[in-house]
Amino acid sequence: MFKTKVAESLNKSDMIAVSPETLAGMLNCGRATAVKIGTDAGAKILIGRRTLYKVSIVDKYLNLLAGK
């Protein structure tokens, strides 16, 4: 297996889909909480054994919870 390459030049706001660890960093919370938020938002994307979360859906979900 090859290690996943991460583009350091991209801003996190420019990313379309992120791993659970990156999502946790973006939300400033733990991995388990980020996975729960991403799943509750319906942003979970399964590609083979890999799980990604769509950033725009998570953003809309959090804005809805915040009342914006």
Side-chain angles (χ1 to χ4, degrees):
M1 286 281 188
F2 294 104
K3 186 175 179 180
T4 303
K5 295 179 184 177
V6 178
E8 297 296 327
S9 62
L10 288 175
N11 293 331
K12 293 202 186 326
S13 62
D14 294 336
M15 294 184 180
I16 297 171
V18 295
S19 67
E21 291 79 16
T22 306
L23 183 62
M26 293 171 73
L27 297 175
N28 196 22
C29 64
R31 184 184 186 280
T33 304
V35 168
K36 180 165 177 21
I37 291 171
T39 304
D40 290 348
K44 189 174 183 178
I45 302 169
L46 296 174
I47 302 173
R49 291 176 30 189
R50 186 168 174 102
T51 302
L52 299 173
Y53 295 91
K54 189 159 169 118
V55 176
S56 62
I57 295 174
V58 172
D59 187 43
K60 288 178 187 176
Y61 176 72
L62 291 175
N63 284 335
L64 181 70
L65 286 178
K68 290 185 178 181

